[in-house]
Amino acid sequence: MNEIQTTLSKTGEAAAPALQLNKVRKRKGTGLQSTMDMIKNVIPYVLFFVVWELFSQLNGRIQMFNPLFLPAPSLLVHDGWALAQTGIITDSLLASSMRIFFGFACGATVAVLLAVLMSKFSMLERWMSPFLTLVSPIPSLALLPLFIIWFGIGEFPKVLLIAWTTFVPVLVNTVEGFKSVPSTLIRSALSLGASQRQVFTRIMIPSAIPNLLIGAQISLGLSFSALIVSEMMGADSGLGYLIVDARNYFKVTNMFVAIILIGIEYSLFALLLKLLERKVLAWRRGGIGEAVEKVR
């Protein structure tokens, strides 16, 4: 018996380096795969700007149309850097980022809280459903003139418009997420002795989070549209104001710089949402090892 135990211990000691080597190789393979995925994601952007540069250079030679209407990316980089030296780009990015952050956060928070109440109280849902059916088809941009009449041209109507644009999709998708929870999960939890609070916090909320994030992703694009339009009407800062100012003085390169910055800023916010989704929904990728709670 002792000889068998000694043999097994020696075998385990001999296998330990091999297991560690396999783990190292797996980590290296994962890192290499992540690098390759990043390169694949960057290639379309690089290709887009390369084609744009070549087409603009070609248009500058053969004059298919006025080259001023479609400046080359190299010219945009040059003029954008000169514009950045004045501090206008920094101020515009900061102003737009603050508006979209506060408007998006306020709209999403109110929508989630109302969705929770609607899922808990059926009477509230019956009263809110006709209201949502009435207002959801109305474009939020149609409300901007009304908001300006009510609240003036300060920061509040801009943030309120963004919050309203965020509110409706997040609310609708979150309520739908609560409704789509399988009844078998709820009955199983109740049969195992779970309380109503535990069912709501451990089953319903996690099941509704994917729909909530879908609503947030939909709202993000709509919120940026509301942001730019609101900054074009009665603002003295922001990327939308930068576009209007460039239009007034026919600075086409400044328009393109602002448009590209809008795309970059939206991409960063969308990336943050993706990272949040990976963090919150990690249990969906990790299988049973992530789905089952660990005893501490």
Side-chain angles (χ1 to χ4, degrees):
M1 187 67 178
N2 293 333
E3 293 178 355
I4 294 175
Q5 292 178 350
T6 303
T7 303
L8 291 175
S9 62
K10 289 181 179 181
T11 303
E13 293 175 357
L19 292 175
Q20 293 178 357
L21 181 60
N22 289 335
K23 291 180 180 180
V24 172
R25 288 177 178 175
K26 186 176 181 180
R27 284 196 295 267
K28 289 183 178 179
T30 303
L32 180 61
Q33 183 64 33
S34 300
T35 304
M36 294 299 295
D37 292 341
M38 185 180 299
I39 293 175
K40 291 179 181 178
N41 292 332
V42 172
I43 286 177
Y45 296 100
V46 176
L47 184 61
F48 171 78
F49 284 105
V50 169
V51 173
W52 182 0
E53 178 73 24
L54 294 176
F55 181 79
S56 297
Q57 295 293 342
L58 178 63
N59 180 58
R61 294 179 181 179
I62 64 177
Q63 298 287 324
M64 291 183 292
F65 54 87
N66 191 340
L68 182 62
F69 295 160
L70 186 64
S74 56
L75 180 60
L76 296 180
V77 172
H78 178 270
D79 291 357
W81 177 254
L83 189 64
Q85 299 300 313
T86 63
I88 295 177
I89 289 182
T90 303
D91 294 340
S92 299
L93 284 172
L94 182 61
S96 296
S97 298
M98 295 297 290
R99 288 166 184 155
I100 196 71
F101 175 78
F102 284 111
F104 188 83
C106 292
T109 301
V110 175
V112 171
L113 292 177
L114 185 58
V116 170
L117 293 176
M118 290 174 64
S119 66
K120 295 287 288 183
F121 304 103
S122 58
M123 179 66 71
L124 180 61
E125 182 182 359
R126 284 197 297 270
W127 280 95
M128 288 296 299
S129 294
F131 172 74
L132 293 175
T133 304
L134 176 66
V135 301
S136 57
I138 301 175
S140 60
L141 302 182
L143 301 176
L144 178 59
L146 190 60
F147 285 174
I148 293 177
I149 293 174
W150 286 350
F151 307 109
I153 58 174
E155 292 297 318
F156 182 72
K158 301 178 181 61
V159 175
L160 181 62
L161 183 68
I162 296 170
W164 174 256
T165 306
T166 305
F167 171 79
V168 176
V170 173
L171 176 62
V172 172
N173 281 274
T174 306
V175 170
E176 184 63 28
F178 282 123
K179 290 182 178 180
S180 62
V181 178
S183 58
T184 54
L185 294 179
I186 299 176
R187 288 197 297 266
S188 299
L190 292 174
S191 64
L192 292 173
S195 62
Q196 292 289 341
R197 180 179 179 181
Q198 289 174 330
V199 169
F200 188 78
T201 56
R202 298 295 183 89
I203 296 178
M204 296 191 67
I205 290 181
S207 299
I209 286 178
N211 289 67
L212 188 158
L213 293 175
I214 291 173
Q217 292 172 0
I218 296 172
S219 299
L220 185 61
L222 299 175
S223 299
F224 265 86
S225 300
L227 168 70
I228 301 306
V229 173
S230 64
E231 290 179 341
M232 288 181 173
M233 297 177 61
D236 56 0
S237 62
L239 296 174
Y241 169 77
L242 188 61
I243 294 175
V244 172
D245 183 70
R247 179 204 62 187
N248 294 336
Y249 295 97
F250 203 71
K251 298 178 180 179
V252 180
T253 54
N254 288 6
M255 292 185 194
F256 275 96
V257 169
I259 291 170
I260 292 174
L261 289 175
I262 292 170
I264 293 174
E265 187 174 13
Y266 170 79
S267 299
L268 292 177
F269 274 88
L271 178 61
L272 291 177
L273 275 181
K274 286 291 184 182
L275 294 176
L276 178 62
E277 181 180 2
R278 290 181 182 179
K279 183 67 175 178
V280 175
L281 302 180
W283 58 271
R284 301 178 74 181
R285 304 191 316 272
I288 192 170
E290 296 291 341
V292 178
E293 295 184 1
K294 298 179 181 180
V295 179
R296 297 181 179 179

